[in-house]
Amino acid sequence: WFDGPAFVRPQDATSMEWFPMVAAVSSITCEPASPEVSVRFGWDTMPPVNLVLDQLETVVQMYDASEKAQYLAIISSIYDFLSQQNLDAVKESFGSKTVANWVWHGDGFTSIDKLILGSSIQDLRPYRYTLASELVAYRNFFIQLGAHEHCDSKVLISVLQDIHAKHTRSSQTPDICRTDLRLSVDILNELKDNIDAIGEEKADILIPIQTESKTDLQLLPIDECTYCDTEWLRQGFFMMDFKEEDGINLIHPHVPPATAEALEVPSLMS
């Protein structure tokens, strides 16, 4: 792997024992050495955390899904090594690196704050990923570095905010808008069933609103939205009664009225 000189000083090489952890970023000895030689040149010493993280960054950049098994073996060795090091030292080393998406999720890599260790009712990809079954042994290690232990309301609300941020930054294709709208509604329906346990986080919930364009998905806070309840229709009012300058932000028709009511979205009659 390492694209370096063919010959180096003995003290600048690393033992074959550490091949999975540093082979792409350090010269490796060609053959196993005797204990005496290893001690003499420091080959018996484990590589520094920074060097192993350099290897991890290289693996992320080079990852080829068609060679998943080979890469997984290397990735697992790196996680195993890091999980046995001083946690503060690992956190400090990560802080000095540019690699953000270093957690393998089964098909690629994501950042530690987008990893959920428990199961999720919703498929939250690409906003959140569940722990790959091959990496269950490192569950506690990932928790210590900031992974979410459960897919709770806080996680779900943060996904709504991520969807909002993506569609605010740039226009998306109709397919992406439809997919994100469906996910947003599914999340709202799940939050509805646990609304009593959400507490102050309720103010951070975002709801899709009606728009005229299929490539325009907008989400707003609950108190900036409204919905057309049955009482409004019963009294003979219609949506045509509103003008654009009225500033009425109707929730998207895909959001069920029962969900809007449970989330305490202001109705047109309130």
Side-chain angles (χ1 to χ4, degrees):
W1 282 24
F2 183 58
D3 186 20
F7 295 93
V8 297
R9 297 183 307 167
Q11 58 267 37
D12 294 333
T14 304
S15 170
M16 283 188 65
E17 176 186 358
W18 309 110
F19 181 91
M21 274 70 78
V22 296
V25 293
S26 175
S27 297
I28 302 292
T29 58
C30 295
E31 300 290 340
S34 66
E36 294 79 9
V37 173
S38 293
V39 171
R40 173 66 181 81
F41 294 117
W43 295 342
D44 61 325
T45 303
M46 68 176 62
V49 171
N50 270 328
L51 194 61
V52 176
L53 291 187
D54 288 340
Q55 167 90 346
L56 178 57
E57 185 171 9
T58 301
V59 169
V60 170
Q61 294 170 350
M62 296 177 59
Y63 182 73
D64 184 348
S66 67
E67 300 179 0
K68 174 178 171 178
Q70 294 91 325
Y71 276 95
L72 179 58
I74 296 172
I75 294 165
S76 297
S77 295
I78 293 174
Y79 293 158
D80 190 66
F81 174 88
L82 294 174
S83 67
Q84 298 179 51
Q85 308 308 306
N86 177 273
L87 181 61
D88 291 335
V90 172
K91 288 182 176 179
E92 182 179 352
S93 296
F94 265 118
S96 65
K97 301 297 178 181
T98 58
V99 59
N101 299 328
W102 58 270
V103 182
W104 188 72
H105 56 64
D107 295 306
F109 296 85
T110 188
S111 57
I112 190 69
D113 61 313
K114 292 187 177 180
L115 180 67
I116 303 172
L117 302 178
S119 60
S120 172
I121 296 177
Q122 313 297 338
D123 181 357
L124 301 175
R125 296 173 298 176
Y127 301 100
R128 299 293 182 275
Y129 295 87
T130 54
L131 178 64
S133 59
E134 297 90 339
L135 301 179
V136 171
Y138 310 110
R139 186 176 187 277
N140 289 337
F141 171 64
F142 292 137
I143 288 177
Q144 291 175 318
L145 288 178
H148 299 282
E149 191 168 0
H150 305 289
C151 184
D152 54 18
S153 60
K154 184 176 182 179
V155 171
L156 294 175
I157 293 171
S158 69
V159 172
L160 291 174
Q161 294 170 342
D162 287 352
I163 292 173
H164 168 68
K166 180 172 79 173
H167 288 265
T168 299
R169 284 194 302 268
S170 60
S171 297
Q172 306 295 323
T173 65
D175 284 344
I176 291 178
C177 287
R178 280 193 295 269
T179 299
D180 285 348
L181 172 60
R182 187 182 309 115
L183 176 57
S184 298
V185 173
D186 288 343
I187 289 175
L188 292 172
N189 288 333
E190 185 173 344
L191 290 173
K192 172 202 68 174
D193 297 331
N194 300 282
I195 192 64
D196 292 336
I198 293 179
E200 295 182 357
E201 294 171 359
K202 179 185 169 187
D204 298 324
I205 296 176
L206 300 176
I207 298 183
I209 62 170
Q210 285 192 32
T211 60
E212 295 183 357
S213 172
K214 293 182 179 180
T215 59
D216 184 19
L217 177 60
Q218 296 182 34
L219 292 86
L220 293 176
I222 288 176
D223 60 2
E224 295 182 26
C225 304
T226 188
Y227 73 103
C228 183
D229 55 359
T230 54
E231 183 61 25
W232 173 267
L233 297 175
R234 188 179 296 119
Q235 295 197 21
F237 295 106
F238 298 94
M239 291 317 303
M240 289 78 77
D241 296 335
F242 291 110
K243 299 177 181 178
E244 185 176 347
E245 55 265 25
D246 292 330
I248 301 297
N249 297 313
L250 282 170
I251 64 172
H252 197 281
H254 286 190
V255 180
T259 297
E261 182 179 2
L263 294 174
E264 298 182 329
V265 176
S267 73
L268 286 170
M269 289 301 297
S270 60

